[in-house]
Amino acid sequence: MGNPFTGQSIESARRALAAQLKAAQLDEAELDARILLGAVLGLDLTGLIAQAARPLTAADASRLVQHAERRIAGEPVARILGTREFWGLPFRLSEATLVPRPDTETVVELALEIFRERNASHPPRIADIGTGSGAILLALLHEIPDAFGIGTDLSLSALVTARDNAATLGLADRAAFVACSYSAALSGPFDLIVSNPPYIPSAEIPKLSIEVREHDPHLALDGGNDGYDAYRALIPQATERLAPGGALVVEAGQGQARNIETLMTAAALSVDRPPKADLAGIPRAVSARKMPP
């Protein structure tokens, strides 16, 4: 059977691909079709519209079929393309990194709000615990030109990806990456510690969407029996490594914010503001400060 996209115009191929994805019951079939076709052809939305009548070559059609098969099998678009935008910046992905999600931008937003309240004269030091692709850390370094940051991760592969992203974004001279458990290899003091730790209860992982459970690294998802193992480890460490007046900002799963605040208070941190909600209204970013002695 021949390739169904060969010889089709860009517009007809887009429609055909969208129909295939809809038939596979994918929620964002139209958007996915446009992104995948644009990636194959190296065109943005404007280019796809301007060249709508252009026929696909055999090579274009072959790549589009490959992309379609992977998407229909449940692989996320970002995994197929190997990149994802976060905070308006491009991030390369690997099998060892999560796909950065818009919800996680809430952590960046809250961290920046807290940072802009500080009156310190020295350049800020930031630590990102479980950095993955480096998305949170590098977004913060992009916004705070004199800051220096360190990202930690257990996965060497993830750290290579984060380091490459730092270089691509022109931030390599202000970012370092260390392999360790949480912040075990760091000494501080840090003005800001951020983290999107694993927080899915182990028993819930098989119930996640195929895009997540089959394609995101379980090391970055599994939060133990109740989902709080990572918080129990990283919050006390953060207390030791924060400078007086410094802040910890972490991402929370749905319904977890209050328990995380309790863990922060138990570790002698001061919870001085409510969690910041994501666009769906879920309390997503939780923060606390280390009070001066």
Side-chain angles (χ1 to χ4, degrees), residues 86-133:
F86 179 86
W87 201 257
L89 305 170
F91 285 87
R92 188 173 71 80
L93 308 177
S94 70
E95 292 181 357
T97 65
L98 291 173
V99 175
R101 299 177 305 124
D103 292 345
T104 303
E105 293 186 351
T106 312
V107 174
V108 178
E109 292 170 2
L110 182 55
L112 288 173
E113 289 175 11
I114 293 170
F115 164 76
R116 286 165 181 156
E117 295 172 358
R118 70 194 284 275
N119 296 311
S121 57
H122 64 277
R125 297 185 75 223
I126 302 170
D128 180 12
I129 310 305
T131 194
S133 65

Side-chain angles (χ1 to χ4, degrees), residues 3-262:
N3 187 311
F5 299 117
T6 301
Q8 286 201 34
S9 69
I10 286 176
E11 177 59 18
S12 62
R14 185 195 64 77
R15 291 178 182 274
L17 177 56
Q20 286 186 16
L21 300 183
K22 284 179 183 176
Q25 300 184 324
L26 296 173
D27 291 337
E28 298 185 325
E30 294 281 354
L31 177 61
D32 289 356
R34 177 174 63 78
I35 293 172
L36 291 173
L37 182 57
V40 165
L41 300 173
L43 298 173
D44 58 14
L45 177 58
T46 302
L48 291 174
I49 294 171
Q51 301 185 44
R54 169 182 143 193
L56 269 63
T57 66
D60 294 336
S62 178
R63 288 187 63 206
L64 192 58
V65 164
Q66 293 171 10
H67 284 0
E69 289 174 346
R70 292 171 67 181
R71 184 67 192 104
I72 289 168
E75 189 170 353
V77 169
R79 293 280 180 207
I80 296 169
L81 303 184
T83 61
R84 177 65 177 257
E85 183 179 288
F86 179 86
W87 201 257
L89 305 170
F91 285 87
R92 188 173 71 80
L93 308 177
S94 70
E95 292 181 357
T97 65
L98 291 173
V99 175
R101 299 177 305 124
D103 292 345
T104 303
E105 293 186 351
T106 312
V107 174
V108 178
E109 292 170 2
L110 182 55
L112 288 173
E113 289 175 11
I114 293 170
F115 164 76
R116 286 165 181 156
E117 295 172 358
R118 70 194 284 275
N119 296 311
S121 57
H122 64 277
R125 297 185 75 223
I126 302 170
D128 180 12
I129 310 305
T131 194
S133 65
I136 298 175
L137 177 64
L138 297 176
L140 289 170
L141 294 182
H142 178 78
E143 295 293 329
I144 309 172
D146 62 340
F148 178 83
I150 299 176
T152 74
D153 208 289
L154 277 174
S155 168
L156 290 174
S157 178
L159 292 171
V160 169
T161 303
R163 183 191 64 195
D164 290 348
N165 283 327
T168 299
L169 295 170
L171 299 169
D173 60 335
R174 294 194 287 121
F177 299 97
V178 178
C180 66
S181 176
Y182 302 109
S183 60
L186 305 184
S187 58
F190 292 95
D191 303 287
L192 185 61
I193 297 178
V194 293
S195 182
N196 176 18
Y199 55 70
I200 308 296
S202 303
E204 296 296 315
I205 290 177
K207 304 174 188 176
L208 298 173
S209 69
I210 189 172
E211 286 90 345
V212 176
R213 73 172 187 268
E214 297 294 335
H215 297 283
D216 275 341
H218 280 213
L219 182 66
L221 296 173
D222 194 339
N225 287 338
D226 62 358
Y228 294 97
D229 281 3
Y231 300 105
R232 293 189 188 97
L234 73 87
I235 291 173
Q237 288 183 5
T239 301
E240 297 175 4
R241 290 160 178 77
L242 280 170
L248 169 66
V249 184
V250 299
E251 180 166 331
Q254 187 168 2
Q256 292 182 324
R258 182 166 295 182
N259 288 338
I260 292 169
E261 289 179 336
T262 299

Side-chain angles (χ1 to χ4, degrees), residues 266-292:
L269 295 175
S270 174
V271 178
D272 59 359
R273 69 183 69 214
K276 190 173 185 66
D278 61 21
L279 293 176
I282 296 169
R284 186 62 67 183
V286 183
S287 67
R289 288 183 186 271
K290 180 176 182 177
M291 302 307 293

